[in-house]
Each structure stands twice: as C-alpha cells, then as structure tokens.
Amino acid sequence: MSKHDHLQVQPLSEVQHLKVHGRTTGELNPLTLFWTGSAIEVNVRAAELWLEVESGYDHHESWISIVINSVPVSRQMVNAGRHWICVFRGMNPERVKNIRIVKEVQAMNGDPGAYLQFHAVRTDGVFLPVEAKPYRLEFIGDSITSGEGVLGAKAEEDWIPAWFSGVHNYTALTAAAVDAEYRVVSQSGWGVLSSWDNNPKGNIPDIYEEVCGLLTGHQNERLGAHEPNDFAAWQPDVVVVNLGTNDDGAFHSPEWKDEADGRVYKQRLNEDGSYHEADLAAFEAAVTRFLAKLRACNPDAHILWVYGMLGLSLMPAIYRAVDAHTRATSDKNVSVFQLPNVTEETMGARTHPGLLAHQQTAQELSGYIKGLL
C-alpha cells in the first residue's frame, strides 16, 4: 500500500469552497497565478494536505509561502516541472485549518518563460467555506509594492527572486490590519510615465486593464495574461497607488533609446538640479491620466495615491496632479498620503525598504485606510 492511498486527489476545479486571490483568467484547469500576493485559500479539516504545482522559468524561478491560520510557516523555491508539495501533515484531523498558498514573487516582465500553476490537491479531509472579508484593497506599484528587498541581508545586491516577498510586504500587512482581501499590480523599476531608466514602455497605466499585461512571450499570451481584466467581478473599496519613485529615478538616469525607431527619451534636470518644467509637467499629466483610467475601471473606489518610502521629491507634483484631476472631474473620492521614509535601521536588501519599513508603513497606512472605510 502506498503511503498516499488514504488521500484523495481533487483537481482545483472540483475543490469546494476554493478561494482564489489575485487577478486571474478564471481558469482552474490549471490555475495560473500571475501577480505578487496571488494565492489560493481553503479551510480544511484534515490531517494532511498536498498541492500539485507546476512551474517554469528561463531566469527567475517562482517562490511560494505557505500560511497556516494567518502565520507564514514555510517558504520555498518552486523547482521547474510538475510535482507535489506537502502543505502540512500529522496535524489534528478534527481541527479546521485556514490555509493560504501565496505567490511570493512578482510577475516577471523580463522572463517570458516564468510561470506558476496549481493543478490539484490531495488530502484525507474535507473543505469548508472560507469566510468573506468585509473589504477589498488593490495595490498598484513598483519594486516596493512587489516586496523587493524585504528579505535578505542589507549587503545583498543580486537581483534575484529570493529577496522578494508577497507575505511580508506592506500590501499583505495593511490588508490584514484592515481585514481586507487584496490584489497587487506591481513591477520593479516601473513608473507612471516611464521606468527608472527612461523607457516609456515601463509604465503601469498602459497595462492596467489586462489580466497581467506586462508579461511577455507566447506562453504567457496563451495563458491569458493579455486578456481584458474582469473589473465587474472584483471591485475594490480602496485603490492604493504607490508610484513615482522610478519616475524620479528617470530624471537621474541616462537617456533611453528605442532601437526600433531611434527615438530618445530622457526626463531632464535643470543645471541647478531642479526638475525641467516641461518634463515635470509630463509626469504630472501621466498621473492625472492614470487617475481618470482608475476611476473608469473602479467607479466607486477611493483612490489613494501614496508615496515617500524612498524619498519625497515628487510629492508636490503628485499633489498638483491629484488636484488637477479633482478640478477637472469634480471627483472628490481621491486623496494623497505620505509614507514613512526608510532609515538606516529599516533598510532591507538591495537598498530597498526592509521588513521593519514595511511594518511601519502598514501601521500608518492601515490607520489612514480605516478612516476611509
């Protein structure tokens, strides 16, 4: 007799009361997880639970965290291929466990071969309903929102998936503090107008309306990354936008040349180090345009623009852009909130905010969001 004979295999599509977190295509055979913090959640009364995962990559492997009764208990790199992972075993078969299996790493724009799928579960127990949370939050951002550098020593400089975390970053911590379901749309290096290196294609607004529009390659297209996102199926109470850090970086980085048409892009500084007026205005216009798009997609949400963990230099421009949006549209359901800046003590790996910084941000941000809800 095999040691798994007492366990029953169920494809995800047949699991009763399965809750899926994060933007997906709705397909469960198998389920593809695209974004940071995407997850499956179940309540199960069992002694043992396994999950069948499939993963691939050209450069950047996936990582997952297993969260049992709201506590992250295990974190692992997902090897390429299709195989079973033990979620837990030997636990009290009469007790109900709340289980979340979370994608720790962002969608990888630079790796067309990277994907993560869940196929089936294997257990000796039964699944029970998962209680719905009272609120929904959507977070939009860059590497900070992807949790880059939350884990790892301060000395780490390698750009690898190991230093990302979906469960220890401010998005998960803020959502837990306000008792909300949440989704994340984020990409390291990207901005509102351009990426940190002046590439105009590295902007979040252009891909916002697709399931995971920043992914590249035929495989991701086949998996549905470029399908329109079903906004009606999941409407947030608050949309938190944490963008601008890389737009500031573009002012301090060399020009970017588009090899396709030879055009050159550069956010310029004046000789005294101040922002070039026309280029600053282009950033502000991009913020205002994105606010209009966010409002069209999320008609009833409070839109909250947050900024400041890695410097505040664009804060006045963000305030002006939000004011311009409100004046042009009479949309009063928008605000700006300053996040606490990192210190030497709260810095993490890769000169990004560390765990302490994310905890501090979540504490202040969740307090503000509770006031909105």
mmCIF file of all heavy atoms in Angstrom, residues 189 194-200 246-258 263-269 279:
data_model
loop_
_atom_site.group_PDB
_atom_site.id
_atom_site.type_symbol
_atom_site.label_atom_id
_atom_site.label_comp_id
_atom_site.label_asym_id
_atom_site.label_seq_id
_atom_site.Cartn_x
_atom_site.Cartn_y
_atom_site.Cartn_z
ATOM 1 N N GLY A 189 11.025 48.672 -10.981
ATOM 2 C CA GLY A 189 11.601 49.574 -11.976
ATOM 3 C C GLY A 189 10.603 50.394 -12.763
ATOM 4 O O GLY A 189 10.993 51.326 -13.466
ATOM 5 N N SER A 194 7.329 56.441 -17.089
ATOM 6 C CA SER A 194 8.379 55.577 -17.653
ATOM 7 C C SER A 194 9.012 54.776 -16.532
ATOM 8 O O SER A 194 8.751 55.005 -15.361
ATOM 9 C CB SER A 194 9.460 56.425 -18.345
ATOM 10 O OG SER A 194 10.345 56.986 -17.387
ATOM 11 N N SER A 195 9.894 53.861 -16.917
ATOM 12 C CA SER A 195 10.666 53.132 -15.910
ATOM 13 C C SER A 195 11.837 54.009 -15.440
ATOM 14 O O SER A 195 12.073 55.093 -15.972
ATOM 15 C CB SER A 195 11.174 51.810 -16.488
ATOM 16 O OG SER A 195 11.920 52.049 -17.663
ATOM 17 N N TRP A 196 12.567 53.513 -14.462
ATOM 18 C CA TRP A 196 13.679 54.280 -13.856
ATOM 19 C C TRP A 196 14.732 54.684 -14.873
ATOM 20 O O TRP A 196 15.448 55.664 -14.700
ATOM 21 C CB TRP A 196 14.337 53.454 -12.746
ATOM 22 C CG TRP A 196 15.030 52.223 -13.274
ATOM 23 C CD1 TRP A 196 14.467 51.004 -13.514
ATOM 24 C CD2 TRP A 196 16.400 52.103 -13.669
ATOM 25 N NE1 TRP A 196 15.394 50.119 -14.033
ATOM 26 C CE2 TRP A 196 16.591 50.778 -14.140
ATOM 27 C CE3 TRP A 196 17.488 52.985 -13.680
ATOM 28 C CZ2 TRP A 196 17.821 50.320 -14.615
ATOM 29 C CZ3 TRP A 196 18.719 52.518 -14.143
ATOM 30 C CH2 TRP A 196 18.871 51.204 -14.612
ATOM 31 N N ASP A 197 14.829 53.923 -16.000
ATOM 32 C CA ASP A 197 15.876 54.192 -16.995
ATOM 33 C C ASP A 197 15.337 54.946 -18.213
ATOM 34 O O ASP A 197 15.947 54.930 -19.276
ATOM 35 C CB ASP A 197 16.545 52.880 -17.419
ATOM 36 C CG ASP A 197 15.545 51.884 -18.003
ATOM 37 O OD1 ASP A 197 14.324 52.173 -18.006
ATOM 38 O OD2 ASP A 197 15.976 50.807 -18.468
ATOM 39 N N ASN A 198 14.163 55.597 -18.053
ATOM 40 C CA ASN A 198 13.556 56.435 -19.091
ATOM 41 C C ASN A 198 12.850 55.670 -20.214
ATOM 42 O O ASN A 198 12.432 56.268 -21.197
ATOM 43 C CB ASN A 198 14.587 57.405 -19.706
ATOM 44 C CG ASN A 198 14.910 58.559 -18.776
ATOM 45 O OD1 ASN A 198 14.084 59.446 -18.565
ATOM 46 N ND2 ASN A 198 16.110 58.537 -18.197
ATOM 47 N N ASN A 199 12.684 54.357 -20.061
ATOM 48 C CA ASN A 199 11.966 53.587 -21.077
ATOM 49 C C ASN A 199 10.461 53.856 -20.935
ATOM 50 O O ASN A 199 9.859 53.492 -19.933
ATOM 51 C CB ASN A 199 12.261 52.094 -20.889
ATOM 52 C CG ASN A 199 11.561 51.222 -21.909
ATOM 53 O OD1 ASN A 199 10.688 51.669 -22.655
ATOM 54 N ND2 ASN A 199 11.935 49.954 -21.953
ATOM 55 N N PRO A 200 9.830 54.477 -21.943
ATOM 56 C CA PRO A 200 8.413 54.835 -21.814
ATOM 57 C C PRO A 200 7.490 53.614 -21.805
ATOM 58 O O PRO A 200 6.325 53.723 -21.404
ATOM 59 C CB PRO A 200 8.159 55.698 -23.050
ATOM 60 C CG PRO A 200 9.163 55.242 -24.059
ATOM 61 C CD PRO A 200 10.387 54.862 -23.265
ATOM 62 N N ASN A 246 10.245 55.488 -9.333
ATOM 63 C CA ASN A 246 11.062 55.248 -10.530
ATOM 64 C C ASN A 246 10.983 56.397 -11.524
ATOM 65 O O ASN A 246 11.930 56.637 -12.279
ATOM 66 C CB ASN A 246 10.644 53.943 -11.203
ATOM 67 C CG ASN A 246 11.054 52.738 -10.370
ATOM 68 O OD1 ASN A 246 12.209 52.598 -10.009
ATOM 69 N ND2 ASN A 246 10.102 51.882 -10.039
ATOM 70 N N ASP A 247 9.865 57.135 -11.510
ATOM 71 C CA ASP A 247 9.782 58.333 -12.352
ATOM 72 C C ASP A 247 10.823 59.352 -11.912
ATOM 73 O O ASP A 247 11.445 60.018 -12.739
ATOM 74 C CB ASP A 247 8.373 58.929 -12.276
ATOM 75 C CG ASP A 247 7.331 58.006 -12.902
ATOM 76 O OD1 ASP A 247 7.176 58.034 -14.135
ATOM 77 O OD2 ASP A 247 6.692 57.242 -12.150
ATOM 78 N N ASP A 248 11.016 59.456 -10.598
ATOM 79 C CA ASP A 248 12.082 60.319 -10.088
ATOM 80 C C ASP A 248 13.443 59.784 -10.542
ATOM 81 O O ASP A 248 14.321 60.539 -10.958
ATOM 82 C CB ASP A 248 12.021 60.388 -8.560
ATOM 83 C CG ASP A 248 13.186 61.173 -7.984
ATOM 84 O OD1 ASP A 248 13.340 62.358 -8.331
ATOM 85 O OD2 ASP A 248 13.962 60.589 -7.201
ATOM 86 N N GLY A 249 13.605 58.456 -10.496
ATOM 87 C CA GLY A 249 14.861 57.846 -10.938
ATOM 88 C C GLY A 249 15.209 58.192 -12.379
ATOM 89 O O GLY A 249 16.389 58.349 -12.729
ATOM 90 N N ALA A 250 14.175 58.323 -13.221
ATOM 91 C CA ALA A 250 14.408 58.619 -14.642
ATOM 92 C C ALA A 250 15.091 59.971 -14.830
ATOM 93 O O ALA A 250 15.896 60.154 -15.751
ATOM 94 C CB ALA A 250 13.088 58.578 -15.409
ATOM 95 N N PHE A 251 14.779 60.942 -13.957
ATOM 96 C CA PHE A 251 15.425 62.255 -14.045
ATOM 97 C C PHE A 251 16.926 62.146 -13.771
ATOM 98 O O PHE A 251 17.707 62.990 -14.193
ATOM 99 C CB PHE A 251 14.792 63.223 -13.035
ATOM 100 C CG PHE A 251 13.467 63.782 -13.462
ATOM 101 C CD1 PHE A 251 12.283 63.176 -13.056
ATOM 102 C CD2 PHE A 251 13.400 64.910 -14.276
ATOM 103 C CE1 PHE A 251 11.049 63.687 -13.442
ATOM 104 C CE2 PHE A 251 12.172 65.428 -14.667
ATOM 105 C CZ PHE A 251 10.983 64.818 -14.253
ATOM 106 N N HIS A 252 17.322 61.111 -13.024
ATOM 107 C CA HIS A 252 18.725 60.964 -12.605
ATOM 108 C C HIS A 252 19.458 59.869 -13.374
ATOM 109 O O HIS A 252 20.568 59.490 -13.017
ATOM 110 C CB HIS A 252 18.788 60.683 -11.096
ATOM 111 C CG HIS A 252 18.110 61.741 -10.273
ATOM 112 N ND1 HIS A 252 18.746 62.894 -9.884
ATOM 113 C CD2 HIS A 252 16.830 61.820 -9.808
ATOM 114 C CE1 HIS A 252 17.895 63.650 -9.197
ATOM 115 N NE2 HIS A 252 16.737 63.026 -9.137
ATOM 116 N N SER A 253 18.802 59.323 -14.423
ATOM 117 C CA SER A 253 19.396 58.219 -15.189
ATOM 118 C C SER A 253 19.686 58.658 -16.625
ATOM 119 O O SER A 253 19.083 59.610 -17.124
ATOM 120 C CB SER A 253 18.431 57.025 -15.227
ATOM 121 O OG SER A 253 18.228 56.534 -13.927
ATOM 122 N N PRO A 254 20.592 57.949 -17.322
ATOM 123 C CA PRO A 254 20.898 58.301 -18.713
ATOM 124 C C PRO A 254 19.678 58.148 -19.615
ATOM 125 O O PRO A 254 18.700 57.501 -19.254
ATOM 126 C CB PRO A 254 21.985 57.289 -19.107
ATOM 127 C CG PRO A 254 22.539 56.770 -17.823
ATOM 128 C CD PRO A 254 21.419 56.838 -16.826
ATOM 129 N N GLU A 255 19.758 58.742 -20.781
ATOM 130 C CA GLU A 255 18.665 58.652 -21.764
ATOM 131 C C GLU A 255 18.438 57.218 -22.204
ATOM 132 O O GLU A 255 19.337 56.371 -22.110
ATOM 133 C CB GLU A 255 18.972 59.541 -22.972
ATOM 134 C CG GLU A 255 20.196 59.078 -23.751
ATOM 135 C CD GLU A 255 20.567 60.006 -24.906
ATOM 136 O OE1 GLU A 255 20.341 61.233 -24.812
ATOM 137 O OE2 GLU A 255 21.105 59.496 -25.906
ATOM 138 N N TRP A 256 17.237 56.939 -22.684
ATOM 139 C CA TRP A 256 16.896 55.613 -23.216
ATOM 140 C C TRP A 256 16.569 55.751 -24.702
ATOM 141 O O TRP A 256 15.787 56.613 -25.099
ATOM 142 C CB TRP A 256 15.695 55.026 -22.482
ATOM 143 C CG TRP A 256 15.368 53.613 -22.889
ATOM 144 C CD1 TRP A 256 15.929 52.463 -22.414
ATOM 145 C CD2 TRP A 256 14.401 53.182 -23.863
ATOM 146 N NE1 TRP A 256 15.387 51.354 -23.021
ATOM 147 C CE2 TRP A 256 14.434 51.773 -23.928
ATOM 148 C CE3 TRP A 256 13.506 53.867 -24.704
ATOM 149 C CZ2 TRP A 256 13.620 51.033 -24.781
ATOM 150 C CZ3 TRP A 256 12.691 53.126 -25.562
ATOM 151 C CH2 TRP A 256 12.753 51.729 -25.589
ATOM 152 N N LYS A 257 17.201 54.891 -25.505
ATOM 153 C CA LYS A 257 16.985 54.952 -26.961
ATOM 154 C C LYS A 257 16.173 53.754 -27.409
ATOM 155 O O LYS A 257 16.494 52.608 -27.070
ATOM 156 C CB LYS A 257 18.335 54.969 -27.680
ATOM 157 C CG LYS A 257 18.209 55.117 -29.187
ATOM 158 C CD LYS A 257 19.573 55.189 -29.863
ATOM 159 C CE LYS A 257 19.418 55.334 -31.372
ATOM 160 N NZ LYS A 257 20.713 55.358 -32.062
ATOM 161 N N ASP A 258 15.108 54.014 -28.152
ATOM 162 C CA ASP A 258 14.284 52.943 -28.715
ATOM 163 C C ASP A 258 14.951 52.456 -30.002
ATOM 164 O O ASP A 258 15.012 53.185 -30.988
ATOM 165 C CB ASP A 258 12.873 53.468 -29.002
ATOM 166 C CG ASP A 258 11.915 52.351 -29.378
ATOM 167 O OD1 ASP A 258 12.391 51.247 -29.760
ATOM 168 O OD2 ASP A 258 10.694 52.566 -29.305
ATOM 169 N N ARG A 263 14.172 56.768 -31.548
ATOM 170 C CA ARG A 263 13.781 57.877 -30.676
ATOM 171 C C ARG A 263 14.484 57.782 -29.318
ATOM 172 O O ARG A 263 14.711 56.686 -28.805
ATOM 173 C CB ARG A 263 12.265 57.892 -30.458
ATOM 174 C CG ARG A 263 11.498 58.489 -31.624
ATOM 175 C CD ARG A 263 10.009 58.631 -31.274
ATOM 176 N NE ARG A 263 9.767 59.645 -30.242
ATOM 177 C CZ ARG A 263 8.565 59.903 -29.740
ATOM 178 N NH1 ARG A 263 7.513 59.222 -30.155
ATOM 179 N NH2 ARG A 263 8.406 60.837 -28.817
ATOM 180 N N VAL A 264 14.789 58.934 -28.765
ATOM 181 C CA VAL A 264 15.493 59.002 -27.487
ATOM 182 C C VAL A 264 14.567 59.624 -26.444
ATOM 183 O O VAL A 264 13.869 60.601 -26.731
ATOM 184 C CB VAL A 264 16.793 59.834 -27.625
ATOM 185 C CG1 VAL A 264 17.390 60.144 -26.263
ATOM 186 C CG2 VAL A 264 17.799 59.079 -28.488
ATOM 187 N N TYR A 265 14.551 59.037 -25.245
ATOM 188 C CA TYR A 265 13.683 59.524 -24.167
ATOM 189 C C TYR A 265 14.536 59.886 -22.956
ATOM 190 O O TYR A 265 15.424 59.134 -22.579
ATOM 191 C CB TYR A 265 12.671 58.450 -23.758
ATOM 192 C CG TYR A 265 11.731 58.081 -24.876
ATOM 193 C CD1 TYR A 265 12.088 57.111 -25.817
ATOM 194 C CD2 TYR A 265 10.478 58.699 -24.998
ATOM 195 C CE1 TYR A 265 11.229 56.770 -26.848
ATOM 196 C CE2 TYR A 265 9.611 58.357 -26.025
ATOM 197 C CZ TYR A 265 9.987 57.396 -26.950
ATOM 198 O OH TYR A 265 9.135 57.063 -27.974
ATOM 199 N N LYS A 266 14.240 61.059 -22.352
ATOM 200 C CA LYS A 266 15.001 61.480 -21.170
ATOM 201 C C LYS A 266 14.206 62.499 -20.360
ATOM 202 O O LYS A 266 13.792 63.516 -20.893
ATOM 203 C CB LYS A 266 16.348 62.082 -21.609
ATOM 204 C CG LYS A 266 17.169 62.676 -20.445
ATOM 205 C CD LYS A 266 17.813 61.607 -19.581
ATOM 206 C CE LYS A 266 18.537 62.211 -18.380
ATOM 207 N NZ LYS A 266 17.807 62.027 -17.112
ATOM 208 N N GLN A 267 13.997 62.191 -19.082
ATOM 209 C CA GLN A 267 13.463 63.182 -18.143
ATOM 210 C C GLN A 267 14.639 64.014 -17.661
ATOM 211 O O GLN A 267 15.584 63.485 -17.077
ATOM 212 C CB GLN A 267 12.781 62.477 -16.962
ATOM 213 C CG GLN A 267 11.487 61.752 -17.317
ATOM 214 C CD GLN A 267 10.371 62.711 -17.689
ATOM 215 O OE1 GLN A 267 10.215 63.068 -18.865
ATOM 216 N NE2 GLN A 267 9.612 63.144 -16.709
ATOM 217 N N ARG A 268 14.583 65.342 -17.901
ATOM 218 C CA ARG A 268 15.764 66.194 -17.714
ATOM 219 C C ARG A 268 15.726 66.960 -16.391
ATOM 220 O O ARG A 268 14.664 67.287 -15.871
ATOM 221 C CB ARG A 268 15.858 67.202 -18.871
ATOM 222 C CG ARG A 268 16.081 66.552 -20.234
ATOM 223 C CD ARG A 268 15.757 67.524 -21.352
ATOM 224 N NE ARG A 268 14.314 67.820 -21.385
ATOM 225 C CZ ARG A 268 13.740 68.677 -22.235
ATOM 226 N NH1 ARG A 268 14.487 69.340 -23.106
ATOM 227 N NH2 ARG A 268 12.432 68.896 -22.201
ATOM 228 N N LEU A 269 16.931 67.254 -15.897
ATOM 229 C CA LEU A 269 17.107 68.160 -14.760
ATOM 230 C C LEU A 269 17.680 69.475 -15.273
ATOM 231 O O LEU A 269 18.435 69.500 -16.257
ATOM 232 C CB LEU A 269 18.074 67.570 -13.734
ATOM 233 C CG LEU A 269 17.633 66.305 -12.987
ATOM 234 C CD1 LEU A 269 18.796 65.760 -12.165
ATOM 235 C CD2 LEU A 269 16.423 66.580 -12.092
ATOM 236 N N ASP A 279 9.275 68.504 -18.470
ATOM 237 C CA ASP A 279 9.324 67.069 -18.155
ATOM 238 C C ASP A 279 8.554 66.754 -16.874
ATOM 239 O O ASP A 279 7.907 65.709 -16.763
ATOM 240 C CB ASP A 279 10.777 66.605 -18.045
ATOM 241 C CG ASP A 279 11.495 66.707 -19.394
ATOM 242 O OD1 ASP A 279 10.792 66.841 -20.415
ATOM 243 O OD2 ASP A 279 12.727 66.663 -19.420
#
